[in-house]
mmCIF file of all heavy atoms in Angstrom:
data_model
loop_
_atom_site.group_PDB
_atom_site.id
_atom_site.type_symbol
_atom_site.label_atom_id
_atom_site.label_comp_id
_atom_site.label_asym_id
_atom_site.label_seq_id
_atom_site.Cartn_x
_atom_site.Cartn_y
_atom_site.Cartn_z
ATOM 1 N N GLU A 1562 100.971 82.137 75.961
ATOM 2 C CA GLU A 1562 101.674 83.355 76.446
ATOM 3 C C GLU A 1562 100.991 84.561 75.782
ATOM 4 O O GLU A 1562 100.668 85.547 76.463
ATOM 5 C CB GLU A 1562 103.151 83.286 76.047
ATOM 6 C CG GLU A 1562 103.879 84.578 76.461
ATOM 7 C CD GLU A 1562 105.350 84.621 76.075
ATOM 8 O OE1 GLU A 1562 105.939 83.525 75.953
ATOM 9 O OE2 GLU A 1562 105.870 85.694 75.766
ATOM 10 N N PHE A 1596 100.571 88.131 84.245
ATOM 11 C CA PHE A 1596 101.300 87.800 83.014
ATOM 12 C C PHE A 1596 102.842 87.965 83.327
ATOM 13 O O PHE A 1596 103.629 87.075 82.972
ATOM 14 C CB PHE A 1596 100.952 88.786 81.933
ATOM 15 C CG PHE A 1596 101.889 88.714 80.748
ATOM 16 C CD1 PHE A 1596 101.748 87.656 79.783
ATOM 17 C CD2 PHE A 1596 102.860 89.634 80.552
ATOM 18 C CE1 PHE A 1596 102.659 87.568 78.711
ATOM 19 C CE2 PHE A 1596 103.713 89.587 79.484
ATOM 20 C CZ PHE A 1596 103.660 88.563 78.600
ATOM 21 N N MET A 1597 103.222 89.003 84.005
ATOM 22 C CA MET A 1597 104.649 89.241 84.277
ATOM 23 C C MET A 1597 105.238 88.178 85.200
ATOM 24 O O MET A 1597 106.365 87.746 85.074
ATOM 25 C CB MET A 1597 104.848 90.569 84.920
ATOM 26 C CG MET A 1597 104.534 91.784 83.923
ATOM 27 S SD MET A 1597 104.458 93.418 84.807
ATOM 28 C CE MET A 1597 106.189 93.620 85.189
ATOM 29 N N ASN A 1598 104.436 87.684 86.161
ATOM 30 C CA ASN A 1598 104.949 86.652 87.073
ATOM 31 C C ASN A 1598 105.025 85.325 86.249
ATOM 32 O O ASN A 1598 105.921 84.517 86.591
ATOM 33 C CB ASN A 1598 103.908 86.462 88.211
ATOM 34 C CG ASN A 1598 103.893 87.689 89.156
ATOM 35 O OD1 ASN A 1598 104.907 88.418 89.196
ATOM 36 N ND2 ASN A 1598 102.865 87.825 89.892
ATOM 37 N N ARG A 1599 104.102 85.078 85.378
ATOM 38 C CA ARG A 1599 104.070 83.833 84.666
ATOM 39 C C ARG A 1599 105.177 83.761 83.546
ATOM 40 O O ARG A 1599 105.780 82.736 83.256
ATOM 41 C CB ARG A 1599 102.688 83.586 84.046
ATOM 42 C CG ARG A 1599 102.484 82.236 83.343
ATOM 43 C CD ARG A 1599 102.560 81.118 84.382
ATOM 44 N NE ARG A 1599 102.469 79.820 83.729
ATOM 45 C CZ ARG A 1599 101.359 79.134 83.720
ATOM 46 N NH1 ARG A 1599 100.252 79.573 84.267
ATOM 47 N NH2 ARG A 1599 101.310 77.906 83.114
ATOM 48 N N TYR A 1600 105.420 84.938 82.925
ATOM 49 C CA TYR A 1600 106.330 84.996 81.768
ATOM 50 C C TYR A 1600 107.436 86.101 82.019
ATOM 51 O O TYR A 1600 107.372 87.096 81.230
ATOM 52 C CB TYR A 1600 105.595 85.165 80.461
ATOM 53 C CG TYR A 1600 104.666 84.092 80.160
ATOM 54 C CD1 TYR A 1600 103.276 84.214 80.328
ATOM 55 C CD2 TYR A 1600 105.064 82.830 79.669
ATOM 56 C CE1 TYR A 1600 102.360 83.204 80.016
ATOM 57 C CE2 TYR A 1600 104.165 81.794 79.400
ATOM 58 C CZ TYR A 1600 102.825 81.989 79.613
ATOM 59 O OH TYR A 1600 102.003 80.945 79.321
ATOM 60 N N PRO A 1601 108.282 85.960 82.956
ATOM 61 C CA PRO A 1601 109.263 87.057 83.245
ATOM 62 C C PRO A 1601 110.274 87.272 82.100
ATOM 63 O O PRO A 1601 110.871 88.305 82.032
ATOM 64 C CB PRO A 1601 109.953 86.509 84.515
ATOM 65 C CG PRO A 1601 109.747 85.064 84.510
ATOM 66 C CD PRO A 1601 108.381 84.842 83.882
ATOM 67 N N ASP A 1602 110.393 86.294 81.230
ATOM 68 C CA ASP A 1602 111.373 86.397 80.123
ATOM 69 C C ASP A 1602 110.679 86.732 78.793
ATOM 70 O O ASP A 1602 111.331 86.620 77.723
ATOM 71 C CB ASP A 1602 112.145 85.093 79.937
ATOM 72 C CG ASP A 1602 112.962 84.771 81.205
ATOM 73 O OD1 ASP A 1602 113.519 85.709 81.822
ATOM 74 O OD2 ASP A 1602 113.065 83.590 81.644
ATOM 75 N N SER A 1603 109.435 87.106 78.837
ATOM 76 C CA SER A 1603 108.679 87.375 77.677
ATOM 77 C C SER A 1603 109.155 88.557 76.943
ATOM 78 O O SER A 1603 109.620 89.548 77.544
ATOM 79 C CB SER A 1603 107.198 87.476 77.932
ATOM 80 O OG SER A 1603 106.440 87.950 76.875
ATOM 81 N N ASP A 1604 109.010 88.574 75.591
ATOM 82 C CA ASP A 1604 109.328 89.757 74.829
ATOM 83 C C ASP A 1604 108.434 90.907 75.118
ATOM 84 O O ASP A 1604 108.697 92.056 74.790
ATOM 85 C CB ASP A 1604 109.261 89.412 73.283
ATOM 86 C CG ASP A 1604 110.372 88.481 72.843
ATOM 87 O OD1 ASP A 1604 111.395 88.435 73.579
ATOM 88 O OD2 ASP A 1604 110.249 87.862 71.807
ATOM 89 N N SER A 1605 107.214 90.596 75.658
ATOM 90 C CA SER A 1605 106.231 91.620 75.956
ATOM 91 C C SER A 1605 106.322 92.151 77.440
ATOM 92 O O SER A 1605 105.489 92.923 77.862
ATOM 93 C CB SER A 1605 104.811 91.032 75.808
ATOM 94 O OG SER A 1605 104.599 90.642 74.479
ATOM 95 N N TYR A 1606 107.410 91.662 78.108
ATOM 96 C CA TYR A 1606 107.561 92.094 79.555
ATOM 97 C C TYR A 1606 107.697 93.605 79.727
ATOM 98 O O TYR A 1606 107.049 94.194 80.524
ATOM 99 C CB TYR A 1606 108.750 91.359 80.138
ATOM 100 C CG TYR A 1606 108.853 91.428 81.648
ATOM 101 C CD1 TYR A 1606 108.195 90.519 82.463
ATOM 102 C CD2 TYR A 1606 109.594 92.487 82.251
ATOM 103 C CE1 TYR A 1606 108.275 90.594 83.841
ATOM 104 C CE2 TYR A 1606 109.641 92.541 83.606
ATOM 105 C CZ TYR A 1606 109.028 91.589 84.419
ATOM 106 O OH TYR A 1606 109.098 91.680 85.819
ATOM 107 N N GLU A 1607 108.500 94.213 78.876
ATOM 108 C CA GLU A 1607 108.759 95.661 78.982
ATOM 109 C C GLU A 1607 107.488 96.426 78.658
ATOM 110 O O GLU A 1607 107.192 97.466 79.276
ATOM 111 C CB GLU A 1607 109.915 96.073 78.036
ATOM 112 C CG GLU A 1607 111.260 95.526 78.439
ATOM 113 C CD GLU A 1607 111.727 96.055 79.803
ATOM 114 O OE1 GLU A 1607 111.377 97.247 80.112
ATOM 115 O OE2 GLU A 1607 112.391 95.356 80.548
#
Side-chain angles (χ1 to χ4, degrees):
E1562 178 183 330
F1596 169 79
M1597 293 170 67
N1598 292 338
R1599 187 65 183 261
Y1600 299 103
D1602 299 321
S1603 172
D1604 291 341
S1605 299
Y1606 192 87
E1607 293 296 327

